[in-house]
Amino acid sequence: MDLEVRGIQKKYGRKKVLDNISFAANKGICVGILGENGCGKSTLLSILAGIQKADGGSFCWQGKEMLKKHSTRSSVIGYVPQGTPLLQELTALDNLKLWYADRPAGLKRDLEEGVPAMLGVTEFLKVPVCKMSGGMKKRLSISCASAHNPQVLLLDEPSAALDLIAKERIYNYFLDCKKKGKILLLATHDVQELSLCDVWYIIKNGKLVPFTYDGNVHTLVGKL
């Protein structure tokens, strides 16, 4: 397997939020992670992204441990949290320049035919983040997270509360990622995004439970 998560543990005080979380995925696969609000989806993704520390477990990419090797992880992982990891006073272009600081020629190319172009970020390059809509911020966040062409994207409810145009652009980008062999770990409640996934898991009482989604939302709700 290209990506392996084994025995991830996390407690907040006495509460065990993640209890021996384990799964694996190969290239071109989208893993759907579901569960009620507060179940631990965001915690899991933030641990894999290196934002939080796990109490135990491992995260390997092609046999290399990632949890303790920041340089390796940052070259492989792209992380899109629920919040907005953008500098509010800067424009879309200036935010992108920070992420492309080590390869400005790459930014010029991507503005023409890369992720920012695909997601329509080029339509609001001069707009400050503080004046953007939620959909604009999310598309910019995904563009920033994709700046170094990561092989794994950690996506925490990427299309929540977005308009249909923004949802469609983001969905098409995720399809393109799968075709190019990237792995997506997608925490979501969105029905369209669920159809993008190849395997599904529910986090419940700290445990990761496999689930097969057949398009029946009522069945899914009953499992949460």
Side-chain angles (χ1 to χ4, degrees):
M1 287 288 180
D2 291 297
L3 182 150
E4 295 182 273
V5 174
R6 294 285 176 260
I8 296 293
Q9 307 273 354
K10 184 65 178 180
K11 283 184 177 180
Y12 292 130
R14 295 184 178 181
K15 183 179 180 181
K16 187 173 286 189
V17 179
L18 301 175
D19 185 5
N20 195 36
I21 301 294
S22 301
F23 62 93
N26 277 323
K27 292 180 180 179
I29 294 296
C30 181
V31 179
I33 302 173
L34 299 87
E36 294 182 339
N37 291 335
C39 73
K41 301 187 301 296
S42 296
T43 299
L44 174 60
L45 293 187
S46 67
I47 287 173
L48 300 184
I51 306 301
Q52 295 191 63
K53 290 186 177 181
D55 296 327
S58 65
F59 172 33
C60 294
W61 168 253
Q62 297 182 341
K64 296 179 180 179
E65 173 59 55
M66 304 281 281
L67 290 183
K68 298 179 181 179
K69 294 184 178 180
H70 174 74
S71 59
T72 302
R73 184 177 59 240
S74 61
S75 67
V76 174
I77 300 295
Y79 176 46
V80 182
Q82 282 191 47
T84 304
L86 304 168
L87 295 180
Q88 297 291 314
E89 69 277 11
L90 297 185
T91 64
L93 180 58
D94 286 337
N95 270 277
L96 285 169
K97 284 180 178 178
L98 294 175
W99 288 83
Y100 284 85
D102 59 341
R103 52 188 199 94
L107 175 56
K108 182 178 180 180
R109 183 193 64 241
D110 286 353
L111 288 174
E112 295 174 355
E113 57 184 15
V115 179
M118 182 182 299
L119 295 181
V121 174
T122 49
E123 299 169 5
F124 53 89
L125 287 175
K126 295 183 179 181
V127 178
V129 171
C130 60
K131 295 184 178 181
M132 292 181 187
S133 67
M136 293 162 73
K137 291 177 182 178
K138 187 61 68 174
R139 284 183 279 158
L140 177 58
S141 296
I142 294 172
S143 296
C144 290
S146 302
H148 60 281
N149 191 29
Q151 295 305 300
V152 180
L153 279 173
L154 309 177
L155 304 157
D156 197 348
E157 300 193 26
S159 65
L162 301 188
D163 60 54
L164 292 176
I165 294 175
K167 280 178 180 283
E168 188 67 18
R169 280 177 160 159
I170 290 171
Y171 180 83
N172 287 335
Y173 170 57
F174 293 161
L175 280 177
D176 185 66
C177 286
K178 289 181 60 177
K179 291 176 182 177
K180 291 179 177 176
K182 298 181 187 294
I183 295 175
L184 309 182
L185 302 185
L186 178 60
T188 185
H189 296 289
D190 186 88
V191 173
Q192 185 182 30
E193 288 178 349
L194 287 175
S195 67
L196 183 72
C197 301
D198 301 284
V199 292
W200 304 263
Y201 296 96
I202 295 172
I203 297 179
K204 192 169 186 177
N205 299 321
K207 299 287 188 180
L208 193 68
V209 182
F211 173 75
T212 299
Y213 178 64
D214 60 2
N216 190 320
V217 177
H218 295 292
T219 301
L220 172 59
V221 170
K223 296 286 186 178
L224 295 178

